[in-house]
Amino acid sequence: MPEPQRGDLVIRGGLVADAAHPLAEARDILVRDGVIVTIGPPGIAVPEGTAAFDASGLLLHPGLVNGHTHSHGFLGRGIGDRWTLELLLAASPWVSGGRTMDDIALSATIGAAELALKGCTAVLDMVGELPLPTEEGLDAVASAYDRVGLRAVIAPLVADRTLYQAIPPLAEALPGELREEVARLALPPWDRTFDALVRLVRGWRWSGRGIGFGLGPTIPTHCDDAFLRACARLAGEHGLPLTMHVAESKVQAVIGGRTYGRSLVRHLDALGLIGPRFIAAHAIWLDDEDRAILAARGASIIHNPSSNMKLGNGLFAMREALDAGITVGLGTDTCSCGDNLNMYEAMRLASLLSKVQGPDPAAWVSAEEAYRAGTEGSARALGLPGIGRIEEGALADIVFLDLGHPNWMPHRWTVNQLVHGEDGTAVRHVCVGGRFIVRDGRLTTVDLDSLRSKAEEHRQRHERATRHERALFERLAPIVARVGPALAAEPLSVRRYLSDRGPF
Ligand SMILES: [Zn+2]
């Protein structure tokens, strides 16, 4: 991440969003070494010679915090439609195959650029690298965030079982020659991957640049219990966030019940994984007891509304999660399922998805709750309490929206309009730690033209390099598309599909 603005900077005359007030009020903000040291009514006294930034006509809100994505998927934009999660996972050797180190960096840079332009200043990246996470690969990703200027938590996505090992009925449905093909996708034994994680955490050198390390054992049934226990110990020893996909699809919930004889959350809790640093991504297929466990342990959930809808994973029960006392943040997921990386859209969809679940407005997620989830909720989940708010002592991660944009005509109820009306098109400037990484709607840190030509070059190379993986996916797809929904048709006490509700 670029160095924070050194010395003092005073931001004068902007309106500052505050969920406690319907209409943002004018505030001056004094920033020193990247931290907000004073905030007050217009005209605050500042040391002589302080650089001033005129924010009149602009609305300031804290940088949005993306609690769940995968940078390896950013180059997979536009690749699939009508894919379930299981189809997406079956496609992943194709989608993310044929990658060089430069591609890994390019993928992360493109996503980081998009996030910055759309008002996001910090991200949790579960980045996958096969067969194992490497220092070189994670350095490529960290350098990309650093170059663009975002804060990040990088949690390498790891597993020791393939989709076909995790879902036995899927392997059983494959003809012999396909079973042999998928057997070649086998992952290294978990202790090798775990040793790599230990080396990586010990050698991590990006924390001083605003880029932390986390653990990302991907899906419970894709990881041996001993591996998960070891990850929990490592996270405890180093104070690391630990994030997993938990009950993202109904298939996962059904297979979890068959594998463990209890729910995924109860199983992870019995293994000792669930605590204040635990971040459950998606967490759609939970019951009341699962939520009570997450709440009692101080764990968090990251809700990814666009990905959940695109992959047909069902409706996340945000009201129930909030009422249980769980910290709820928001994420975009990646470009092969969430497509765009727009945290304004995540807030909007979190609100709207709640409002389609029943007729009682008292049970709906409010604009304020969606706004808090996309800012301080995600920040708390990621263990980054210094962001997600504009207040004294917080880091100066600030988005400046143009109130001259039609989105804000008229400006009546700030947070309501931030959640339901803003789509990122009014973003004028973005600063991280007091340093402007977007100025007048343009990135100051990377050149988009050069990224575009590299991305096109990659696409052509990728098509050639992954012919085999694509052909394999096309043979697997009809079987995965049949077995997944058959498993999802099994009765479960939790009902999260619209079609579970009976005839309309
Ligand atoms: Zn994910």
Side-chain angles (χ1 to χ4, degrees), residues 68 70 245 282 333:
H68 183 76
H70 306 275
H245 300 89
H282 304 278
D333 217 335

Side-chain angles (χ1 to χ4, degrees), residues 333-378:
D333 217 335
T334 192
C335 295
S336 49
C337 54
D339 293 80
N340 63 30
L341 302 172
N342 189 334
M343 283 295 296
Y344 295 103
E345 186 187 89
M347 293 194 292
R348 182 170 197 263
L349 293 179
S351 165
L352 300 186
L353 256 178
S354 165
K355 288 164 172 114
V356 300
Q357 295 189 39
D360 178 7
W364 293 349
V365 166
S366 68
E368 180 180 338
E369 287 170 319
Y371 172 74
R372 287 192 191 279
T375 52
E376 57 196 86
S378 293

Side-chain angles (χ1 to χ4, degrees), residues 134-135 137-139 141-143 152-156 198-214 240:
T134 64
E135 188 178 330
L138 295 192
D139 275 353
V141 174
S143 304
V153 173
I154 298 179
V198 171
R199 280 196 302 278
L200 288 163
V201 65
R202 287 190 182 144
W204 192 249
R205 58 191 176 86
W206 292 95
S207 301
R209 311 281 297 166
I211 300 172
F213 190 81
L240 305 173

Side-chain angles (χ1 to χ4, degrees), residues 52-74:
F53 183 83
D54 178 11
S56 52
L58 301 175
L59 170 68
L60 280 60
H61 69 75
L64 304 175
V65 183
N66 188 350
H68 183 76
T69 192
H70 306 275
S71 63
H72 58 268
F74 299 159

